[in-house]
Amino acid sequence: QVQLVESGGGLVQAGGSLRLSCAASGRAFSTYAMGWFRQAPGKEREFVSAITRSGSIRYYADSVKGRFTISRDNAKNTVYLQMNSLKPEDTAVYYCAARRMGTSQAPDGYDYWGQGTQVTVSS
């Protein structure tokens, strides 16, 4: 099993940056593809980014491409989401997720989830 804990959320002004971290414990981190999702109030959870087990391939939602960067450090059992040029519409709870079957853009199928970290972007 893998336990995930997100951190790094906060309140920033539009145009600012945040770096989210997701620390994993338990089963070997490198076994899992990792994803970031977000959920705004009243909205469904949506895909943000994903990264393969080795970190060799990255995926991004069109809404964040060019602004967000996902990375992982398997030696530290940590995945990151660097968020630049933040917009008010990026405001949401951000969740880290791990998936045994490889990367996916659908929340369904991910095996483990973190508790979420709030990101609020003011205008």
Side-chain angles (χ1 to χ4, degrees):
Q1 298 185 20
V2 174
Q3 293 179 318
L4 306 173
V5 180
E6 301 100 330
S7 62
L11 173 64
V12 298
Q13 292 183 324
S17 298
L18 284 173
R19 190 190 194 195
L20 306 184
S21 298
C22 175
S25 63
R27 185 152 152 69
F29 178 69
S30 61
T31 300
Y32 297 89
M34 302 297 297
W36 285 98
F37 294 79
R38 66 188 183 187
Q39 187 167 21
K43 302 291 185 179
E44 294 184 352
R45 191 166 300 185
E46 67 173 351
F47 170 78
V48 176
S49 185
I51 189 167
T52 55
R53 303 182 186 201
S54 67
S56 61
I57 305 175
R58 303 169 181 179
Y59 304 89
Y60 299 97
D62 288 342
S63 60
V64 306
K65 190 173 295 184
R67 299 188 297 120
F68 291 9
T69 302
I70 190 171
S71 62
R72 68 189 296 164
D73 187 339
N74 288 347
K76 296 181 178 180
N77 282 13
T78 303
V79 63
Y80 306 94
L81 185 68
Q82 178 67 47
M83 305 186 295
N84 298 326
S85 301
L86 283 162
K87 304 174 181 179
E89 51 262 45
D90 295 318
T91 296
V93 176
Y94 283 71
Y95 297 91
C96 175
R99 191 171 188 265
R100 294 182 63 247
M101 305 299 178
T103 56
S104 175
Q105 296 186 18
D108 187 25
Y110 279 81
D111 299 290
Y112 303 100
W113 293 85
Q115 83 287 354
T117 185
Q118 177 70 48
V119 172
T120 303
V121 184
S122 62
S123 60

